[in-house]
Amino acid sequence: MPKFFIKTYGCQMNERDSEQVAHSLIARGYERVGCESDADVVLLNTCSVRDMADQKALGKMGMLGRTAKERPDIVFGFLGCMAQARGASLLKEMPHLDLVIGTQKFHRVVDYVEEALEQKRHRRMDDPRFSIVDVEAEIGSQSTIRDQWVAPKQATAFVSIMQGCNMHCTFCIVPRTRGAERSRTIEQIIAEVRALVAQGVKEITLLGQIVNLYGRHEFGKCDGKSPFVQLLEAVSSIEGLERLRFTSPHPIGFRDDLIAALASLPKLAEHVHLPLQSGSDRILKAMHRTYTPEKYLSLITKIRSARPGIAITTDIIVGFPGETDADYQLTRNLVEEVQFDNAFVFRYSRRSETPAADMPDQVDEPVKEQRNRDLLELINASTRRANEKLVGTKAEILCEGLSRTNSARLMGRTRTNKVVVFEADEDRIGKIFDVAIEHANGFSLYGRPVN
Ligand code: SF4
């Protein structure tokens, strides 16, 4: 039976897409392996959002060129956003590549893999090189990310509810790599969640590039509620589901019906990841983020009053073209005011074929680096403060498995999405229980289970 290895670069969306591909290969009789040297098929599912992920994936595939010389029978493929953005040009850079499959074609990967393996089996050395490039759009592709393999005791799962984005933030390549917004139906999503819960999953995270704008082009409002809120209500009502999360929302479209849902749906976990990107109105405009810092702040106030104790995390870009010291200071002030539970801080990196790449006044790298470091210090301090507040309290956690840093311990997440590490028997994995929080460091909490 052929063996495959799949590695994912990028976000939870890419992870979910990889699981779909893995599921379809396993269903066709392939065996998944954890190391590329054991595989007959090596697939890299790639991100294009940040230059670093792009370069890492290219470097990895470049290195695999050596393996291809020793074992010409192996099928090598690039999937996902980078494959979509670069298409056939990847074949010129990496002649050992067999497959370049875009973001609307994950469901076709298994057929293409079989075709490539078959070609390799019968290929004469003087044949021209065989390769498949498929980066075309496909109607209905949003509904093809729907199957996943659930491991024993798996407690959490991601469910993709939509694909694409129409927002056109000037730094972002996603609208180009993922296409326009397309949503699955509520019925399809409910069926997937029910199947996961039946297999023991207790927590679901609904995924979309702008998750709260789910269904805005396809489905109407009902009783003043957006399609996303209707979906949250429907998923919440599934018996056996304990926790519900969603990521990532856009401040635009985070309306009162969604805030009311935070107050009225107890299964919704107390955590919202709400990308800010900048605290400067001028820079937000240049980014084509269509909200103001004031609007963002008032949203935070509403969310916190709807669900006291809720954790709020964010994404921020420093060094966007034209960002002055004064603009950066506005971001800094806003960060101090909000006191986020955590944040991902990114140094702006130029993505070709995005409007921001050609903007004047690109910020020098040392300046970006300095702002990055400064903001991280500020965020780390507020993360530490938020964690320290929990020491001496009891928190409900869902135990996800072994701690990544110490396999003699287990780890779980609070409803506020904070990691708690503790010692206990492995039969706790997949269960929900309380832990007494005993101490905190920068990003993790440490505790012991209590009954
Ligand atoms: S909302 Fe903006 S940043 Fe997010 S995926 Fe869409 S274009 Fe990219």
Side-chain angles (χ1 to χ4, degrees):
M1 205 42 70
K3 296 180 176 141
F4 73 96
F5 169 80
I6 186 162
K7 185 168 171 68
T8 313
Y9 295 84
C11 62
Q12 289 144 331
M13 205 94 173
N14 289 45
E15 296 280 356
R16 177 66 194 93
D17 298 336
S18 292
E19 285 314 301
Q20 178 68 38
V21 171
H23 182 276
S24 60
L25 285 161
I26 292 166
R28 205 64 79 81
Y30 287 66
E31 185 188 335
R32 188 174 194 166
V33 291
C35 175
E36 70 253 25
S37 56
D38 298 332
D40 307 294
V41 179
V42 176
L43 302 172
L44 304 187
N45 187 13
T46 56
C47 175
S48 226
V49 171
R50 313 219 174 275
D51 195 42
M52 205 157 65
D54 217 279
Q55 293 309 321
K56 266 193 195 165
L58 283 172
K60 176 85 180 168
M61 191 54 93
M63 267 161 48
L64 288 169
R66 265 182 259 149
T67 315
K69 282 198 186 115
E70 289 156 22
R71 285 201 44 202
D73 55 314
I74 300 182
V75 168
F76 293 96
F78 260 135
L79 319 176
C81 292
M82 193 174 70
Q84 185 74 40
R86 297 190 181 219
S89 71
L90 286 165
L91 297 174
K92 282 193 209 117
E93 292 167 46
M94 304 195 187
H96 61 285
L97 207 51
D98 302 290
L99 306 174
V100 178
I101 314 294
T103 53
Q104 303 199 23
K105 302 289 177 168
F106 289 112
H107 57 297
R108 300 209 179 271
V109 170
V110 61
D111 290 333
Y112 292 147
V113 163
E114 302 227 302
E115 209 177 321
L117 281 169
E118 196 56 25
Q119 285 284 342
K120 291 210 163 193
R121 255 176 237 133
H122 301 295
R123 181 170 171 247
R124 294 196 328 265
M125 290 317 286
D126 55 347
D127 274 353
R129 221 192 135 72
F130 166 84
S131 53
I132 297 174
V133 178
D134 188 355
V135 292
E136 296 300 309
E138 183 167 324
I139 291 169
S141 62
Q142 72 276 16
S143 302
T144 61
I145 311 294
R146 58 170 185 231
D147 308 305
Q148 46 189 315
W149 182 76
V150 176
K153 294 189 180 176
Q154 182 179 325
T156 63
F158 293 110
V159 170
S160 173
I161 65 168
M162 63 188 295
Q163 291 284 326
C165 179
N166 291 8
M167 297 305 277
H168 299 289
C169 301
T170 53
F171 53 82
C172 183
I173 192 130
V174 165
R176 186 160 124 53
T177 59
R178 294 262 171 188
E181 292 164 21
R182 293 105 58 210
S183 299
R184 299 170 72 191
T185 64
I186 291 188
E187 291 72 28
Q188 288 169 342
I189 297 164
I190 293 295
E192 184 178 344
V193 176
R194 273 192 209 288
L196 290 166
V197 170
Q199 292 175 84
V201 168
K202 294 196 169 62
E203 176 184 300
I204 293 289
T205 304
L206 303 177
L207 289 180
Q209 302 290 352
I210 34 171
V211 74
N212 52 324
L213 298 180
Y214 162 82
R216 64 173 166 159
H217 306 293
E218 296 93 341
F219 318 118
K221 281 192 170 181
C222 185
D223 292 338
K225 291 173 188 164
S226 66
F228 183 58
V229 171
Q230 295 168 44
L231 175 68
L232 290 178
E233 290 183 347
V235 176
S236 268
S237 69
I238 293 176
E239 214 171 303
L241 179 73
E242 304 282 349
R243 293 178 175 186
L244 180 57
R245 303 184 187 277
F246 56 85
T247 198
S248 288
H250 194 295
I252 292 297
F254 210 114
R255 301 216 172 83
D256 289 348
D257 59 334
L258 181 50
I259 293 178
L262 285 174
S264 67
L265 297 177
K267 287 185 187 176
L268 267 181
E270 290 85 355
H271 172 221
V272 170
H273 182 77
L274 191 63
L276 164 67
Q277 308 304 10
S278 172
S280 154
D281 195 25
R282 204 176 66 81
I283 295 298
L284 285 174
K285 283 201 173 70
M287 289 176 164
H288 198 232
R289 301 284 295 180
T290 42
Y291 50 89
T292 60
E294 293 70 33
K295 162 103 189 174
Y296 185 92
L297 278 172
S298 91
L299 203 46
I300 297 287
T301 307
K302 283 186 190 175
I303 291 170
R304 282 182 168 154
S305 56
R307 200 72 176 264
I310 197 165
I312 297 183
T313 55
T314 196
D315 296 329
I316 299 168
I317 296 173
V318 293
F320 186 79
E323 185 187 73
T324 61
D325 284 342
D327 292 314
Y328 171 66
Q329 191 57 43
L330 291 168
T331 299
R332 213 178 177 281
N333 295 348
L334 198 145
V335 165
E336 288 224 77
E337 185 168 349
V338 174
Q339 291 289 308
F340 291 104
D341 288 75
N342 208 341
F344 295 108
V345 179
F346 302 98
R347 264 170 294 167
Y348 171 73
S349 77
R350 238 172 166 155
R351 304 305 302 143
S352 54
E353 298 185 59
T354 60
D358 299 322
M359 284 182 181
D361 304 323
Q362 298 282 329
V363 176
D364 292 340
E365 286 305 321
V367 175
K368 287 185 202 170
E369 180 53 42
Q370 196 275 329
R371 289 178 190 165
N372 185 48
R373 238 181 301 130
D374 179 60
L375 200 59
L376 276 176
E377 264 172 41
L378 205 62
I379 303 265
N380 290 348
S382 69
T383 303
R384 212 170 25 246
R385 273 194 293 276
N387 281 353
E388 278 164 3
K389 267 194 223 149
L390 296 173
V391 174
T393 67
K394 229 167 45 174
E396 178 205 283
I397 63 146
L398 172 53
C399 181
E400 292 180 15
L402 302 181
S403 157
R404 274 182 215 127
T405 49
N406 180 350
S407 60
R409 293 173 171 177
L410 301 180
M411 64 75 66
R413 275 174 208 273
T414 64
R415 294 178 58 90
T416 50
N417 210 31
K418 293 181 195 294
V419 171
V420 185
V421 176
F422 55 95
E423 284 176 15
D425 289 341
E426 285 189 23
D427 62 5
R428 296 262 186 182
I429 296 173
K431 295 188 178 149
I432 291 181
F433 48 91
D434 285 347
V435 288
I437 309 293
E438 293 174 328
H439 71 274
N441 72 9
F443 298 103
S444 296
L445 298 161
Y446 298 85
R448 77 189 143 75
V450 287
N451 285 325

